Amino acid sequence: MAMLEVNNLSIQFGGLRAVDGFHVSIEKGRLYGLIGPNGAGKTTIFNLLTGVYKPTEGVIRLDGEDITGKNTIEINEAGIARTFQNIRLFGAMTVLDNVKVGLHNHYKYSTLAGILRLPSYFRKEKEMNEKAMELLKVFGLDGEAEYLASNLPYGKQRKLEIARAMATEPKLLLLDEPAAGMNPNETAELMKTIHFVRDNFDMTILLIEHDMKLVSGICEELTVLNFGQVLCQGKTAEVLSNPQVITAYLGE
Ligand SMILES: Nc1ncnc2c1ncn2[C@@H]1O[C@H](COP(=O)(O)OP(=O)(O)OP(=O)(O)O)[C@@H](O)[C@H]1O
């Protein structure tokens, strides 16, 4: 069974059909790319998959569960986590606290226990600190745990965003243009991080990216989107040599 199965997904904004009959099937553990020209509908698809928008038509299944029409919190709990085109960290919070925000789905204590500082509150806080530090270690950020997130260099902020998404223990990780604004060294480091996440967490990853070096370097399969519709789908090398794809996207 596919980890993500999408059929006939569509959304209309006024007269514009921004996503039109989108379909994809992504196996567990796959590193999958979604590419296409500006305005093709890629981010709108992420917004549909994460419940920001409700589709006009279509079905979304995650690991066999129909999640169509659920809200963002329900979808995160069902197992989809994402990062954004423009990094959205809590800049005034520490690196550690940013990861702990992601852990809150799994570590719940009552408001009363929090206000009264009951033993159960301290126990959960200690567990969360340990778990968050473990994750930061995995991402090589444990040395900066007490830094303010906004003080990290750009490449590390991206890593932290991925670490925070991973703290929610997702089944599917969505990365929206993770290499945007990165220099070549940062992009190379990011490619290692994405591979590492896939291999170590057995994670299924769907990413939107314009950097073709990253796309051809790490994506095993691709969907090319054009004017909201699937133009081409399949193994990366085959898709990138497809004449229609070269005309619509790569040759621009
Ligand atoms: N909330 C909205 N209301 C109206 N139109 C929208 C809305 N969100 C997106 N669109 C339109 O839908 C189309 C697809 O936009 P989207 O941001 O998904 O493209 P994209 O492929 O992610 O582009 P880029 O590569 O530039 O990020 C665009 O024409 C955009 O203007």
Side-chain angles (χ1 to χ4, degrees), residues 13-14 16 18-19 36-45 47 53 85 176-177 208 210 225:
F13 297 119
L16 174 75
V19 175
N38 292 117
K42 304 178 296 295
T43 298
T44 304
I45 287 175
N47 285 334
Y53 297 145
Q85 215 165 324
D176 194 349
E177 290 194 43
I208 295 173
H210 285 289
L225 205 66

Side-chain angles (χ1 to χ4, degrees), residues 197-229:
V197 170
R198 196 277 297 274
D199 295 345
N200 281 269
F201 295 90
D202 197 16
M203 189 53 47
T204 311
I205 300 176
L206 171 61
L207 62 88
I208 295 173
E209 191 47 71
H210 285 289
D211 184 325
M212 293 316 291
K213 197 160 165 274
L214 186 143
V215 169
S216 56
I218 64 171
C219 293
E220 296 147 347
E221 287 180 60
L222 292 180
T223 287
V224 185
L225 205 66
N226 200 23
F227 297 113
Q229 297 183 335

Side-chain angles (χ1 to χ4, degrees), residues 87-242:
I87 295 178
R88 293 193 195 175
L89 289 168
F90 301 107
M93 281 166 55
T94 64
V95 167
L96 182 72
D97 282 343
N98 267 274
V99 174
K100 281 169 69 180
V101 169
L103 287 172
H104 268 282
N105 271 357
H106 299 279
Y107 291 83
K108 295 195 166 77
Y109 46 75
S110 70
T111 312
L112 195 65
I115 293 169
L116 299 178
R117 297 287 194 261
L118 298 177
S120 61
Y121 162 81
F122 287 107
R123 210 168 37 242
K124 291 274 191 261
E125 275 295 307
K126 185 167 174 286
E127 276 175 39
M128 278 174 69
N129 276 332
E130 285 168 6
K131 181 81 188 166
M133 280 308 291
E134 263 174 44
L135 258 174
L136 287 177
K137 225 175 247 162
V138 165
F139 284 88
L141 291 167
D142 49 318
E144 285 112 331
E146 294 307 326
Y147 288 24
L148 287 184
S150 56
N151 286 344
L152 288 181
Y154 190 74
K156 288 194 173 183
Q157 290 195 18
R158 273 278 175 224
K159 262 193 186 175
L160 176 57
E161 223 196 359
I162 297 174
R164 185 180 59 184
M166 290 303 298
T168 66
E169 297 185 11
K171 294 176 174 178
L172 172 69
L173 179 64
L174 307 180
L175 305 174
D176 194 349
E177 290 194 43
M182 285 192 167
N183 64 38
N185 287 342
E186 287 171 331
T187 303
E189 178 73 24
L190 174 74
M191 286 165 71
K192 277 193 217 153
T193 303
I194 294 172
H195 252 297
F196 177 86
V197 170
R198 196 277 297 274
D199 295 345
N200 281 269
F201 295 90
D202 197 16
M203 189 53 47
T204 311
I205 300 176
L206 171 61
L207 62 88
I208 295 173
E209 191 47 71
H210 285 289
D211 184 325
M212 293 316 291
K213 197 160 165 274
L214 186 143
V215 169
S216 56
I218 64 171
C219 293
E220 296 147 347
E221 287 180 60
L222 292 180
T223 287
V224 185
L225 205 66
N226 200 23
F227 297 113
Q229 297 183 335
V230 172
L231 179 72
C232 183
Q233 223 161 30
K235 299 239 178 307
T236 298
E238 288 164 22
V239 169
L240 295 182
S241 58
N242 179 308

